[in-house]
Amino acid sequence: MKRPWSLIVAAAVVALEGLVALGLGGFVAVESLVGKPDDVTSAIAEAVFGVLVGAGLLWVAWGGLYKKERWGRAPGVLAQIFVLPVAWTLMQSGQARLGIPLIVVALAGLAALLAPPTTHALYGDES
């Protein structure tokens, strides 16, 4: 059975989020090394966290969702649920230009992950 469009969209959304997290983690790491952070330990922890989250999301996107492994759906859905409060916080702090796209991406990811074609591709007749 080939991959449905919803599963491809879900994998793409999770991969995009993974790339952003990886990029932000790398950015914080570089800034921590070349700049003068107020708290080096916190800066390093944030950088490591960003890189690990990014790598994890890329693994979920490619190794889980794109390869039609059913285990990929749960962390994909969880990631979208975590993104929504972050986006809302951005909206509340006057960063609507970041919050609105983040909400749109998270809702698109949830819709794609929970779409019936995705469910059928991941779980087959067991659903």
Side-chain angles (χ1 to χ4, degrees):
M1 178 181 181
K2 58 186 242 184
R3 286 175 201 85
W5 65 270
S6 59
L7 186 57
I8 294 169
V9 168
V13 166
V14 174
L16 175 66
E17 292 166 346
L19 288 172
V20 169
L22 195 62
L24 289 173
F27 175 77
V28 171
V30 169
E31 287 295 310
S32 298
L33 293 174
V34 300
K36 294 182 182 180
D38 293 334
D39 185 357
V40 175
T41 305
S42 293
I44 291 170
E46 287 176 23
V48 169
F49 182 74
V51 169
L52 289 176
V53 167
L57 287 172
L58 289 172
W59 176 55
V60 167
W62 174 255
L65 297 171
Y66 190 75
K67 291 188 175 181
K68 297 195 312 185
E69 297 288 339
R70 62 178 65 173
W71 63 262
R73 184 169 165 172
V77 169
L78 191 59
Q80 306 320 301
I81 291 170
F82 284 154
V83 166
L84 288 171
V86 171
W88 185 254
T89 301
L90 286 168
M91 298 280 293
Q92 295 298 317
S93 65
Q95 297 291 324
R97 61 185 167 77
L98 297 173
I100 291 172
L102 208 51
I103 288 173
V104 170
V105 168
L107 291 176
L110 274 174
L113 284 161
L114 300 175
T118 299
T119 301
H120 184 67
L122 296 176
Y123 296 96
D125 293 330
E126 296 177 29
S127 56

